Amino acid sequence: MMENTSRRRFLMGLGAAVGLPAFESTRSLLAASHPAAKSLATTATGAPLRMAYLYVPNGVNVAKWNSGETLAPLQEHRDQFSLINGLEVEKATSGGDGGGDHARGNAAFLTGVRPKKTAGADIALGQSVDQYAAERLGQVTRFRSLELSTDGVRKSGSCDSGYSCAYQFNLSWRSETLPMTPESNPRQLFERLFGKGSGKERAESRARRLAGERSILDFVNEDAKSLQKQLGRGDQLKLDEYLTSVREIERRIEMAERWELPEAGREAPAGIPGSYEEHLRLMFDMMLLAFETDSTRVATFLMSHEGSNRNFSHIGVPEGHHALSHHGRNEEKLAKIAKIDLFYTQQLAYFLQQAKSKKDVDGNSILDNSMILYGSAISDGDRHSHRELPIVMAGGGGGALTPGQDLTLPHDTPITNLYLRMLHEMGVPANRFGDSTGVLNYG
């Protein structure tokens, strides 16, 4: 019975497949089947190892970042992340191509490659680090990777000084000409994570839910009851907590679809929460569910595209973010940028807290068994500087990393050196990635 329970990964129903978290009964089997040697995308204990890249646009108020004021929301988790100073994205600089730092920054951040300057269909970049890993992880998980955003999809047109919008609205690239379209609609992401079966079955399931105000859990209820009978008391409680969290996310999506009004100054498409904070947190929560159920081990989240001129009226900043980033050392503008930076680190703190609260199959937290990189390809937005980047590396990497550090590297260390290290920890062999010059080794 224990073996069958440990191998079971979904609750099944009409048009639905609700992934399951790891249970206590899995631990003994895990220890027996995984020696200390780590395998592909796996920790030394045999638990899944995850990697995620979280991007924020337009740089930061450098002085407030360096003084630690911007990082104040993260202090509760100080032992769970390291600050890495001295990294750069050299391929985001002009290289003789003139303007377009936002497009180049967005494009080069995960690729370490300078994008071809074109607004036409002849885009050319390079494979991003997440897709390099996902390609080599093969069929380890249900989804090779997840690509998330809060912005609309743009794959063509001119967005920044003659650069294609494809560079500016896509963080993840499967090949030099193929961006991975990120999902920004929480409902569509929910259906992707929990839907299964033929298109007809999925459509029927959703239609029934909408017509009768039913939950996706109603369609897997019988399977859930059957599983409950096989579990010990601790695992029964864990299953209840997990299904409650799935239902809570579903309710929040329903609220966004039916009741929430968009923030002043913008219209929200159907299914997109009117609150930007709620939008970010819903996407974070579903990324965490995907990690918890081992649906994927690789994710990217373009929290907002580079050059975004989103306003933050809800925190007292009615001006556009990009416009403010060209502050000219104006103290009022810098103070408003600091407010935006603080808002973003508050969202990161939320995600870290949620990841820290989830127990993994080996008894550690999801955060312990993850590598979460947060940052931007621009430091000072006024100068479009791609050096001394604001980078946070959170999580323990399954014991391979020692968080809690404040590292200062030699100036102009390629960020791809850090990516090379992350690939190695994922068990993905690589001698070079992008413009890397070597593996970034730190405890």
Side-chain angles (χ1 to χ4, degrees), residues 5 19-20 22 83 85 94 126-127 145 169 215 223 261 298 308 333 336 349 357 363 371 374 422 425:
T5 300
L20 292 169
L83 295 174
N85 309 293
S94 71
Q127 190 175 44
S145 57
F169 281 78
S215 165
D223 212 15
L261 297 175
V298 180
S308 168
K333 290 183 178 180
K336 289 180 177 180
S357 70
M371 297 180 289
Y374 167 97
M422 295 172 74
E425 298 304 340

Side-chain angles (χ1 to χ4, degrees), residues 410-428:
H411 292 300
D412 302 334
T413 298
I415 197 169
T416 46
N417 287 7
L418 175 56
Y419 299 161
L420 204 55
R421 169 68 183 279
M422 295 172 74
L423 288 172
H424 287 187
E425 298 304 340
M426 293 291 285
V428 175

Side-chain angles (χ1 to χ4, degrees), residues 13-291:
L14 175 65
V18 176
L20 292 169
F23 292 117
E24 183 77 23
S25 56
T26 310
R27 291 189 192 179
S28 59
L29 290 166
L30 184 75
S33 59
H34 289 277
K38 189 177 73 173
S39 58
L40 195 64
T42 306
T43 72
T45 64
L49 178 60
R50 300 93 172 172
M51 62 192 294
Y53 299 88
L54 319 177
Y55 190 88
V56 288
N58 303 328
V60 297
N61 180 322
V62 175
K64 297 292 187 183
W65 178 278
N66 289 339
S67 71
E69 291 181 55
T70 300
L71 302 168
L74 300 172
Q75 289 312 301
E76 180 182 349
H77 313 292
R78 188 63 188 92
D79 62 341
Q80 298 288 329
F81 71 88
S82 291
L83 295 174
I84 305 182
N85 309 293
L87 295 172
E88 71 159 356
V89 180
E90 191 275 332
K91 298 303 181 184
T93 61
S94 71
D97 285 336
D101 285 86
H102 293 291
R104 285 193 301 265
N106 211 108
F109 188 67
L110 292 187
T111 64
V113 175
R114 192 183 309 281
K116 176 182 179 180
K117 189 164 190 176
T118 178
D122 57 334
I123 55 174
L125 184 58
Q127 190 175 44
S128 54
V129 62
D130 62 303
Q131 291 305 303
Y132 186 92
E135 182 180 277
R136 287 152 181 81
L137 295 179
Q139 303 302 313
V140 172
T141 55
R142 184 183 182 194
F143 304 112
R144 283 176 30 129
S145 57
L146 283 183
E147 296 77 41
L148 310 180
S149 177
T150 59
D151 296 316
V153 176
R154 300 285 295 276
K155 287 189 173 182
S156 61
S158 179
C159 273
D160 184 12
S161 303
Y163 282 97
S164 170
C165 296
Y167 297 130
Q168 205 162 337
F169 281 78
N170 297 280
L171 190 62
S172 175
W173 288 71
R174 190 163 188 169
S175 72
E176 68 173 15
T177 59
L178 183 61
M180 296 291 289
T181 304
E183 180 57 70
S184 61
N185 189 301
R187 167 60 71 184
Q188 295 301 323
L189 179 58
F190 185 88
E191 297 295 330
R192 181 183 177 194
L193 290 177
F194 298 115
K196 193 168 178 66
S198 68
K200 181 180 178 181
E201 288 174 331
R202 295 174 74 154
E204 183 180 349
S205 172
R206 185 174 181 186
R208 286 188 184 181
R209 280 182 274 141
L210 292 176
E213 296 187 356
R214 298 176 67 186
S215 165
I216 199 167
L217 300 181
D218 293 333
F219 293 86
V220 298
N221 187 47
E222 291 303 315
D223 212 15
K225 288 180 179 178
S226 175
L227 177 60
Q228 280 275 18
K229 295 175 183 177
Q230 303 175 51
L231 298 174
R233 179 59 179 163
D235 284 343
Q236 288 178 353
L237 291 173
K238 183 169 186 176
L239 179 60
D240 284 341
E241 291 172 358
Y242 168 72
L243 294 179
T244 298
S245 69
V246 171
R247 180 56 186 141
E248 177 58 27
I249 287 174
E250 191 177 29
R251 285 196 186 100
R252 287 160 60 193
I253 293 172
E254 291 166 356
M255 287 291 290
E257 291 173 327
R258 298 176 186 178
W259 305 114
E260 289 196 14
L261 297 175
E263 294 170 352
R266 74 182 187 96
E267 295 183 0
I272 302 294
S275 161
Y276 181 43
E277 177 174 281
E278 174 65 0
H279 194 177
L280 288 166
R281 293 189 175 194
L282 265 175
M283 302 307 268
F284 272 134
D285 287 342
M286 283 190 278
M287 181 197 299
L288 186 56
L289 280 181
F291 282 167

